[in-house]
Amino acid sequence: LQISEPNEFDIMLVIPVARLQLDESDDTGAYYYLTFKRNPKEKCLLKYLDEDGKLSAFKMLQALRAIIKQEVKNIKNVEVTVKRKRAGSPAITLQIKNPPAEISVDIILTLKVQHSWPPSTRDGLKIEQWLGRKVRVDFRNESLYLVAKQNKKEKVLRGNTWRLSFSHIEKAMLNNHGSSKTCCESDGPKCCRKGCLKLLKYLLEQLKMKYTKELEKICSYHVKTAFFHSCVMWPKDTDWHLGDLDHCFQKYLGYFLDCLQKSHLPHFFIPQYNLLSLEDKASSDFLSREINYQLNNRFPIFQG
């Protein structure tokens, strides 16, 4: 879904773990402390426990970072550097200099856990009308993914929280986004769902480049989440007719603006988790004003 130059890539480095105990670290339902159940198979991970016996995301990221830095030295024909650590980021970023363009690759440490989805996800993923009940059941039978993400709400930042990740499910929904199975297949009817998402991602990307400071709290995940909610509100393929891109984009944008104005955008999989909390209201209001300006002036930012 990269719109401009494809110069940013995400790679999930997945470590399978058989059995872990998950304990919520706050009321969002997204962040967890992880501890091993008795006699774990993964003895090699025991050295990453903190003094409370919790699996430390910080320690694991530190070790991974050291390995990557070491390996990068062995790359001869391309100039690769490891970017400086960003506080609270789950990613280790590689900068790859190679004419004609420079690319950055985020390596994200991820645990794949054999565990049923936690209670906070029970009322999420409301895709029955859009993709069907069976698809929802299949998705919920998938493994649980957790990324090494610091929970900023914690009073003392100890680096031992992990955040649920559903990027594998999001990818599947984007790839098979139609209520009919043939939507956007070579011989099937075409829709404008992805076109709408790309437009709003591009709009946000351009605005963030222009107003980096004001919009630092807003990211493309907000746009993607609003998109999935829109797919649920307008579940039929005929709601996203390819020829109606303009109208569909305005509908989706209208919903996103509504979320910004209310400072309320529920996580698609964890409905109790609001992605636009009140402390980020200044960013939400700023973006809302900018989008309204674009909307009322026929999107000058797209004219470029």
Side-chain angles (χ1 to χ4, degrees):
L1 285 165
Q2 188 76 20
I3 301 92
S4 329
E5 283 295 305
N7 57 359
E8 291 179 0
F9 299 90
D10 288 345
I11 296 173
M12 289 183 104
L13 185 68
V14 179
I15 300 174
V17 183
R19 290 164 70 238
L20 278 174
Q21 182 178 316
L22 274 66
D23 295 300
E24 290 195 9
S25 83
D26 66 4
D27 57 1
T28 61
Y31 290 90
Y32 290 82
Y33 298 123
L34 305 181
T35 45
F36 281 108
K37 302 201 170 167
R38 284 186 315 280
N39 305 325
K41 288 195 189 85
E42 300 80 13
K43 294 274 187 279
C44 57
L45 295 181
L46 293 177
K47 59 174 174 286
Y48 302 117
L49 298 181
D50 66 11
E51 60 278 10
D52 301 333
K54 296 188 179 81
L55 188 57
S56 167
F58 173 74
K59 283 185 177 182
M60 286 187 74
L61 273 175
Q62 218 177 12
L64 178 60
R65 198 178 182 83
I67 293 166
I68 289 172
K69 277 187 147 170
Q70 199 48 51
E71 287 304 315
V72 159
K73 290 176 185 164
N74 302 329
I75 300 171
K76 294 286 177 272
N77 49 351
V78 184
E79 193 186 326
V80 182
T81 51
V82 181
K83 276 184 79 170
R84 277 189 56 196
K85 189 172 174 297
R86 290 199 309 275
S89 167
I92 295 165
T93 307
L94 301 181
Q95 218 49 48
I96 302 173
K97 283 193 172 59
N98 203 5
E102 192 170 302
I103 62 172
S104 76
V105 179
D106 278 353
I107 297 172
I108 296 148
L109 176 62
T110 311
L111 302 180
K112 180 182 181 181
V113 187
Q114 288 171 3
H115 192 294
S116 56
W117 288 21
S120 62
T121 65
R122 195 177 298 128
D123 297 326
L125 192 60
K126 281 267 170 268
I127 56 172
E128 292 89 342
Q129 303 300 310
W130 168 33
L131 298 175
R133 190 166 281 117
K134 184 185 176 300
V135 174
R136 184 178 191 270
V137 171
D138 290 347
F139 281 157
R140 286 184 60 89
N141 284 330
E142 292 269 338
S143 295
L144 199 59
Y145 281 49
L146 292 134
V147 294
K149 181 75 174 116
Q150 178 72 66
N151 182 0
K152 294 194 183 72
K153 282 206 174 87
E154 290 201 303
K155 299 285 177 281
V156 184
L157 297 182
R158 297 231 297 283
N160 60 2
T161 53
W162 297 77
R163 192 186 63 199
L164 294 180
S165 168
F166 300 93
S167 54
H168 54 313
I169 309 290
E170 290 161 3
K171 193 172 176 184
M173 291 194 298
L174 281 170
N175 287 341
N176 301 294
H177 54 256
S179 52
S180 80
K181 294 291 166 252
T182 55
C183 186
C184 288
E185 285 185 0
S186 53
D187 48 357
K190 305 282 184 282
C191 81
C192 66
R193 286 182 182 92
K194 277 190 176 175
C196 288
L197 176 56
K198 282 183 174 182
L199 276 174
L200 191 44
K201 274 191 74 164
Y202 181 70
L203 176 59
L204 179 64
E205 215 174 84
Q206 296 300 306
L207 289 172
K208 273 178 76 79
M209 272 159 58
K210 201 171 167 184
Y211 305 107
T212 311
K213 191 86 192 88
E214 294 86 344
L215 296 177
E216 65 179 352
K217 295 281 200 275
I218 309 283
C219 64
S220 65
Y221 194 70
H222 290 115
V223 163
K224 195 183 190 182
T225 299
F227 171 73
F228 288 133
H229 285 302
S230 298
C231 288
V232 166
M233 280 187 286
W234 298 292
K236 297 198 293 289
D237 296 341
T238 49
D239 296 328
W240 300 87
H241 202 275
L242 188 61
D244 294 338
L245 175 67
D246 183 29
H247 170 67
C248 295
F249 179 62
Q250 301 250 8
K251 268 196 321 189
Y252 162 38
L253 191 59
Y255 169 69
F256 185 54
L257 278 169
D258 195 43
C259 293
L260 290 171
Q261 268 136 21
K262 291 176 179 156
S263 274
H264 186 68
L265 174 61
H267 191 289
F268 192 67
F269 299 82
I270 310 165
Q272 70 197 52
Y273 180 23
N274 178 17
L275 296 177
L276 290 173
S277 57
L278 282 168
E279 56 254 38
D280 304 337
K281 188 150 178 48
S283 272
S284 299
D285 289 346
F286 187 90
L287 181 57
S288 181
R289 282 196 301 276
E290 282 304 315
I291 290 178
N292 273 310
Y293 171 79
Q294 293 293 327
L295 196 54
N296 298 329
N297 292 279
R298 295 181 152 188
F299 298 98
I301 209 150
F302 288 156
Q303 320 308 324

